Amino acid sequence: MTATHTPSAHTAKQEWASGLTVFAAVMLMLAGVLDIFRGIMGIAEDDVFVTTNDYVFKFDLTSWGWIHLVLGVLAVLVGFGLIRTATWARFAGVAIAGLVMIANFLSLPYYPVWSVVMIAISGFIIWALCVVRQDDSYVPYESTPYERTPHHV
């Protein structure tokens, strides 16, 4: 007697969920590294930044540097948590990406084009982490490809 095992119907959804989580992790780590560099530039008070006198949310450039540096380090750490598919990292990833988005909005006059790019990247990160349902995500190393394909016993 042979038994046919069919793969679960959610395999394609699980693959998409895994792909979106990896996308969000890589983008969050990329945004974090770029924010670290931006923070270092702000702390060093480099001449790269534009200064304006008529901005409502005016901070010292060194303050913005430290804010971006801390957010960048947190983003990289949470990105590693997303690679390991930790549930806490999904929630923290949305929160960190939101904070990165807000920080880049508030520092818009100092580096306008880059701030808009970082806001867009953060939006994609939040979307990728929110579109995946909890039951769709899985650890890609839980099963071997042989276990996911139909086979006869």
Side-chain angles (χ1 to χ4, degrees), residues 11 47 52 63 76-77 86 99 101 110 121 132 135 146-147 149:
T11 303
D47 295 331
T52 181
S63 300
V76 169
L77 293 175
L99 289 173
M101 187 181 282
Y110 297 108
I121 289 174
V132 178
D135 57 346
Y146 178 75
E147 294 173 348
T149 59

Side-chain angles (χ1 to χ4, degrees), residues 124-140:
F124 281 123
I125 293 167
I126 291 171
W127 171 79
L129 291 174
C130 290
V131 77
V132 178
R133 291 192 318 251
Q134 181 67 24
D135 57 346
D136 285 344
S137 62
Y138 79 109
V139 179

Side-chain angles (χ1 to χ4, degrees), residues 81-133:
L82 285 171
I83 291 287
R84 299 186 49 83
T85 64
T87 303
W88 64 266
R90 288 182 59 203
F91 296 110
V94 172
I96 293 296
L99 289 173
V100 167
M101 187 181 282
I102 291 168
N104 279 289
F105 173 75
L106 294 176
S107 66
L108 210 70
Y110 297 108
Y111 213 62
V113 175
W114 188 248
S115 293
V116 171
V117 169
M118 291 299 287
I119 289 169
I121 289 174
S122 298
F124 281 123
I125 293 167
I126 291 171
W127 171 79
L129 291 174
C130 290
V131 77
V132 178
R133 291 192 318 251

Side-chain angles (χ1 to χ4, degrees), residues 8-86:
S8 67
H10 298 290
T11 303
K13 283 185 179 181
Q14 289 174 341
E15 295 294 331
W16 272 99
S18 175
L20 284 175
T21 303
V22 170
F23 168 78
V26 169
M27 293 301 286
L28 190 61
M29 286 190 290
L30 176 68
V33 168
L34 295 174
D35 239 10
I36 288 170
F37 289 146
R38 185 175 182 179
I40 291 170
M41 288 187 322
I43 293 168
E45 296 185 23
D46 200 357
D47 295 331
V48 176
F49 294 98
V50 177
T51 58
T52 181
N53 294 330
D54 299 328
Y55 191 57
V56 176
F57 304 109
K58 186 176 180 182
F59 286 99
D60 181 35
L61 192 56
T62 306
S63 300
W64 281 121
W66 281 107
I67 289 169
H68 286 287
L69 182 67
V70 168
L71 285 176
V73 169
L74 289 174
V76 169
L77 293 175
V78 170
F80 281 120
L82 285 171
I83 291 287
R84 299 186 49 83
T85 64

